[in-house]
Amino acid sequence: MQDTALENRLLTLLVQPMRIEEIRRALPEAGKTELKDVLGRLIEDGRVMKNKKNRFAVSAHYGCITGTYLATERAFGFVSPDVDEGQPKLDDLFIPPNAAGGAWHGDRVLVRLTERKNGRGRREGVVLRVLQRADKDLTGALVQRGNAYFVQPTSKKYPEIAVDHHHLAGARVGDRVAVSISHYGNEKIMPQGVIQADLGEDGTMEASIAAILHENAVFESFSDEALREADAIPQQVEPSAAAGRLDLRTELIFTIDGDDAKDFDDAVSLEPMDNGHWLLGVHIADVSHYVTPGSPLDQQAYHRGTSVYYPGHVVPMLPFALSHGICSLNPKVDRLAFSALIEVDMDGRRYGAKFAKSVICSAARMTYRKVNQILAGDKKLRAAYHFLTETVERMNDLAHALYKRRIERGALELDIPEAEIRVDENGRPIDIQYRARGESEKLIEEFMLLANESVAECMCRRGDPTVYRVHENPDPEKLRVFAQFARPFGYRIDPSNSSDTAQFQTVLRGAKNDPRQRILPMLLLRSLARARYADECIGHYGLKAKYYLHFTSPIRRYPDLIAHRMLQRALTGQPFTDADRRLCEDAAAQSTTREQAADNCERDIDKLFIAAYMRQFIGEEFDAEVSGVQAFGIFVALPNGCEGLVRIELLTGDRYEYDEPHMSLVGRHTGMRFTIGTPIRVKLLAASEVTGQIDFAPAGSAGPMAEHIEPNPQASYDPSGLHGNRAQRRRHSKGRGGPRKGKKPPTRKRR
């Protein structure tokens, strides 16, 4: 029997306890060794247990479950139960002090349920054993007591770690360090570790940035082998490389990017056809020509998964020799591309598409700002770029038609403002403001979406393997919460009918024209599932697209590189193998993981820059709005996107209790209610560029301007990173390679 099939048979069989002899009789086709191995794995994984009478049964029969241990900075913790496919998620379990069984934050554990409940009515449990360690480095401050050295983790969720003086790796007392755990400790021995990296002087913003990158396995340096391979690549297109390709060097092709972009991985063109239609060209840098499967460059790109951006800097997926050089579609030079040539009409209908390896020569390096000004009628720029002005105008007309069709089919327009952090030449924040999206940004987005859909449809219809970008339908329970917030504004949302996106479009349209409703798009975004990569085409809910993948940014995203390789194999008729399918499965999982790590880095580092910028305003008062509610206080957002915490003990005038179903804090005596969107005047108390923590207090003696009944939502910033999370913003951002000075470039939504 196959192991997976045997596992499923055993799990079905062991809903009631059985001795090993009974199991063998029930499964005579399973070999003795095979049965022993599979049963052992199920026990090790926590799905099956054996009692003192040597009877085996699924863990649930013995009142046990598996899950992830979530430590707190106090003695207690929680366990988030594993989710079985097709089953509803269980509530988190409360783990009282001294019941964690040696588990650390993030460990997968086996928990025995007890009959007790904590003060909030949450079921309690006791950790029986650790099934799998989170297995990650920690960061913290190196301290010395006597002759002994210790690392005090940055997060108080973790215990102090002893380090032998032979394992200091040159770090000095007072430095922020990365430490790997060599022993998790027990009743007799405290945790032991080995220092892996010195991240700089503790208490500095630079050390905090280095720690965030290290914790998410984001590393600046490339392997020597990858750098040597990149440096050996010619920086001009050789005639032999251009031979046999579709030659588009005489076509009017140009790039449109941010003012400070350093690399350009997509260019566009639009030409009339004899049948009255138009041929839209989306030309993507042919990274796959230079980064070959299994090469050192490919291995580095696979492990990185994506480029990581934070204000004034980028940790690129590929070395600068490629991202800035030969793979960048610079103007007036030949470059290799993978072109998607899509037949459309000016009503946005798509009639077909073909794909070809090509050689192009970009006629101009255009910027969003310039194109927006050309479209607005700037005479000087229109004269300077007279050779492409008419094409840009037709492109804009086409983009509007494509957008209209996309919305008509049910795609959601979650155009939520994104805070832009500007830095000076020294990398210090000098301004925070919302980034505007003009006509040119929307134009490029529509063209990239169309190219991505066209490639995905081609591969899916052929049944060939590739990596798709998928987005599942939202959880009805999360939609129910959203429906509660939308109801006071007159919207009637049916959470059980998530496929009806028209009801959500109605909310989004209404929110555009009513400042009081600006919170609703953000709340809807929180209700949606997170997009991910997969080797199966299951569609994209937010785009209402049956077929979708990422094809347009191979400089900065590994899934795009895989999509290029698989498409080329399909076009050339090369047979696909089981190894190709496994590669797509592995790359999808790895890329999803690395995207999450990149999101974590960007969100957490942005917080440091925002706090560093806000320090100059300590003691000043601001108008704000509640952007999140927890039992310990309320998050508030300023108009510039800065977000901070007002602790519950600072909300004077009443005793506030947490109403979790309605995400509110409610005064016990006055009925005063704080919920998302409630306006409040606050005073800035503290801002730490080391932790990113920003603290506010209600301003003035009159206290907060809380509503007694329904909220008056106006917030436009997500407090707890749910919108700040870049994967939820769904950027189609450019592959900026290398460090940058000045502001962070405009981003393309990563859907």
Side-chain angles (χ1 to χ4, degrees):
M1 297 177 66
Q2 294 293 323
D3 282 358
T4 303
L6 182 55
E7 284 185 5
N8 293 334
R9 291 284 304 279
L10 280 168
L11 292 173
T12 302
L13 195 63
L14 296 179
V15 292
Q16 296 296 329
M18 298 179 70
R19 295 183 183 275
I20 188 65
E21 296 82 3
E22 296 173 307
I23 297 174
R24 288 173 182 160
R25 286 197 296 270
L27 300 172
E29 66 275 26
K32 185 175 181 180
T33 301
E34 180 189 19
L35 183 60
K36 179 181 178 182
D37 290 343
V38 173
L39 198 55
R41 282 201 303 272
L42 290 173
I43 292 173
E44 185 178 355
D45 192 52
R47 289 185 285 174
V48 168
M49 297 177 65
K50 183 172 72 169
N51 66 8
K52 294 180 180 179
K53 296 182 180 180
N54 291 322
R55 292 181 182 273
F56 298 87
V58 292
S59 299
H61 180 82
Y62 295 122
C64 297
I65 63 170
T66 58
T68 302
Y69 180 68
L70 306 174
T72 68
E73 295 188 354
R74 288 175 279 181
F76 60 85
F78 300 90
V79 166
S80 176
D82 292 338
V83 179
D84 293 329
E85 188 173 350
Q87 297 297 319
K89 188 181 186 309
L90 301 175
D91 292 337
D92 289 355
L93 301 173
F94 178 75
I95 308 299
N98 302 316
W104 287 27
H105 181 72
D107 290 348
R108 188 165 176 271
V109 296
L110 178 65
V111 183
R112 177 173 55 81
L113 303 177
T114 68
E115 296 300 322
R116 294 188 301 273
K117 293 185 178 181
N118 70 351
R120 294 185 178 273
R122 195 186 296 269
R123 190 79 178 270
E124 288 191 10
V126 175
V127 175
L128 297 181
R129 62 185 173 98
V130 175
L131 300 172
Q132 184 179 7
R133 292 291 184 181
D135 190 28
K136 66 177 182 178
D137 291 353
L138 300 177
T139 63
L142 180 62
V143 299
Q144 183 178 8
R145 291 195 292 272
N147 293 324
Y149 296 90
F150 306 89
V151 173
Q152 296 176 337
T154 305
S155 172
K156 294 182 175 61
K157 295 177 181 178
Y158 299 97
E160 194 173 69
I161 302 157
V163 178
D164 187 271
H165 70 280
H166 293 104
H167 298 150
L168 295 178
R172 297 175 296 180
V173 173
D175 285 352
R176 178 82 72 92
V177 298
V179 58
S180 62
I181 310 304
S182 56
H183 191 285
Y184 283 87
N186 52 39
E187 296 83 358
K188 299 179 180 179
I189 304 173
M190 74 178 300
Q192 310 286 312
V194 176
I195 290 178
Q196 299 294 329
D198 188 344
L199 305 175
E201 182 182 355
D202 191 46
T204 64
M205 183 175 172
E206 291 72 20
S208 294
I209 292 174
I212 291 170
L213 294 173
H214 192 97
E215 288 167 356
N216 289 282
V218 175
F219 304 109
E220 297 268 2
S221 60
F222 288 88
S223 68
D224 292 340
E225 295 82 4
L227 290 175
R228 283 195 295 268
E229 184 182 3
D231 291 339
I233 295 174
Q235 287 299 302
Q236 297 83 33
V237 173
E238 298 177 325
S240 59
R245 287 176 172 257
L246 180 64
D247 194 338
L248 300 175
R249 284 175 285 192
T250 60
E251 302 295 327
L252 178 58
I253 297 173
F254 49 92
T255 60
I256 306 177
D257 295 272
D259 283 311
D260 59 346
K262 297 294 192 300
D263 58 75
F264 321 112
D265 56 4
D266 60 72
V268 291
S269 62
L270 187 64
E271 298 289 337
M273 301 178 69
D274 293 338
N275 62 1
H277 295 166
W278 293 81
L279 190 64
L280 170 65
V282 177
H283 313 278
I284 308 302
D286 189 7
V287 176
S288 63
H289 179 82
Y290 302 102
V291 182
T292 55
S295 66
L297 280 172
D298 184 50
Q299 293 173 22
Q300 290 280 282
Y302 174 86
H303 287 296
R304 291 171 181 243
T306 181
S307 297
V308 179
Y309 302 92
Y310 58 91
H313 196 77
V314 62
V315 182
M317 187 180 80
L318 296 171
F320 301 155
L322 277 76
S323 60
H324 278 146
I326 191 62
C327 289
S328 180
L329 305 181
N330 299 328
K332 310 298 184 183
V333 293
D334 291 353
R335 286 292 185 261
L336 302 183
F338 208 148
S339 295
L341 303 171
I342 308 166
E343 183 179 350
V344 295
D345 64 20
M346 278 300 162
D347 289 326
R349 297 184 185 89
R350 176 164 61 99
Y351 293 91
K354 64 177 182 178
F355 314 97
K357 290 290 187 86
S358 61
V359 55
I360 69 170
C361 182
S362 174
R365 179 268 199 267
M366 300 301 293
T367 67
Y368 294 127
R369 177 180 55 83
K370 287 180 179 179
V371 173
N372 286 336
Q373 290 174 333
I374 287 173
L375 292 172
D378 187 294
K379 293 182 179 180
K380 185 176 180 180
L381 281 174
R382 290 175 70 87
Y385 295 100
H386 61 90
F387 59 94
L388 55 72
T389 296
E390 183 179 349
T391 299
V392 164
E393 290 176 335
R394 288 201 175 275
M395 285 181 170
N396 194 44
D397 291 339
L398 175 59
H400 279 280
L402 292 171
Y403 168 80
K404 180 181 178 182
R405 284 192 170 274
R406 185 162 60 85
I407 296 301
E408 285 176 348
R409 78 186 184 196
L412 299 177
E413 186 187 17
L414 288 163
D415 192 9
I416 299 175
E418 179 184 352
E420 175 188 3
I421 304 168
R422 300 183 60 196
V423 297
D424 61 19
E425 61 276 5
N426 298 315
R428 300 296 297 179
I430 57 174
D431 191 22
I432 302 174
Q433 57 185 341
Y434 282 114
R435 178 181 293 117
R437 293 179 69 243
E439 293 287 278
S440 63
E441 288 91 343
K442 297 173 184 177
L443 179 157
I444 289 296
E445 179 178 6
E446 292 302 327
F447 289 178
M448 297 304 116
L449 287 172
L450 185 61
N452 288 338
E453 288 187 49
S454 299
V455 175
E457 182 173 359
C458 171
M459 295 300 288
C460 187
R461 286 187 179 276
R462 293 173 57 98
D464 294 331
T466 191
V467 174
Y468 294 95
R469 182 69 167 179
V470 302
H471 188 211
E472 285 96 344
N473 287 2
D475 181 354
E477 179 58 27
K478 291 183 178 180
L479 287 182
R480 186 188 63 78
V481 175
F482 171 72
Q484 289 180 341
F485 276 92
R487 190 176 184 85
F489 298 102
Y491 301 112
R492 297 295 182 267
I493 304 298
D494 180 3
S496 64
N497 189 17
S498 62
S499 60
D500 178 20
T501 55
Q503 59 183 333
F504 306 125
Q505 287 179 329
T506 301
V507 176
L508 296 174
R509 284 194 297 269
K512 271 187 175 182
N513 303 317
D514 185 354
R516 297 176 306 130
Q517 301 183 38
R518 285 191 308 225
I519 188 62
L520 294 180
M522 181 179 66
L523 292 177
L524 176 58
L525 183 61
R526 295 185 188 186
S527 304
L528 303 182
R530 182 186 179 92
R532 60 182 177 87
Y533 295 106
D535 61 334
E536 180 183 4
C537 184
I538 61 175
H540 194 294
Y541 176 82
L543 293 172
K544 207 65 173 179
K546 185 176 181 180
Y547 312 100
Y548 195 68
L549 54 63
H550 278 167
F551 174 78
T552 54
S553 292
I555 285 178
R556 61 170 289 270
R557 291 187 306 224
Y558 194 74
D560 304 55
L561 180 56
I562 293 292
H564 280 221
R565 289 176 181 165
M566 296 298 139
L567 178 60
Q568 178 62 8
R569 289 179 71 90
L571 295 177
T572 55
Q574 299 179 58
F576 289 95
T577 65
D578 289 341
D580 293 323
R581 300 183 189 280
R582 286 194 299 271
L583 170 63
C584 292
E585 182 181 2
D586 293 344
Q590 167 72 359
S591 298
T592 298
T593 299
R594 295 314 304 158
E595 180 185 60
Q596 178 67 70
D599 292 345
N600 293 341
C601 284
E602 295 175 5
R603 179 193 64 234
D604 292 344
I605 293 176
D606 278 359
K607 288 180 180 179
L608 302 183
F609 278 88
I610 293 173
Y613 173 75
M614 291 300 296
R615 288 184 64 184
Q616 62 188 305
F617 303 112
I618 290 176
E620 297 188 21
E621 295 185 2
F622 302 89
D623 288 324
E625 291 166 337
V626 175
S627 53
V629 182
Q630 293 291 334
F632 50 80
I634 57 173
F635 291 94
V636 297
L638 306 190
N640 68 352
C642 167
E643 178 268 335
L645 175 66
V646 178
R647 300 183 184 277
I648 192 169
E649 56 266 26
L650 299 180
L651 298 175
T652 58
D654 204 342
R655 180 177 178 180
Y656 289 89
E657 296 179 342
Y658 184 40
D659 179 0
E660 186 172 6
H662 298 93
M663 290 191 290
S664 302
L665 285 181
V666 183
R668 174 179 291 183
H669 304 293
T670 63
M672 189 174 290
R673 178 183 295 271
F674 290 96
T675 190
I676 294 176
T678 302
I680 180 174
R681 180 82 175 169
V682 294
K683 179 178 182 180
L684 179 60
L685 299 181
S688 171
E689 63 181 33
V690 177
T691 65
Q693 177 70 40
I694 297 176
D695 290 297
F696 292 100
S701 57
M705 299 180 291
E707 299 288 337
H708 286 255
I709 45 176
E710 298 295 344
N712 183 20
Q714 297 179 19
S716 58
Y717 180 78
D718 173 27
S720 47
L722 291 172
H723 166 238
N725 185 316
R726 299 323 192 267
Q728 288 289 51
R729 292 186 206 168
R730 311 297 181 244
R731 298 178 308 176
H732 280 283
S733 64
K734 302 295 292 178
R736 328 288 178 209
R740 300 183 310 275
K741 293 181 179 179
K743 66 181 182 179
K744 186 176 180 179
T747 58
R748 296 184 184 170
K749 295 182 180 181
R750 188 162 66 200
R751 296 183 184 271

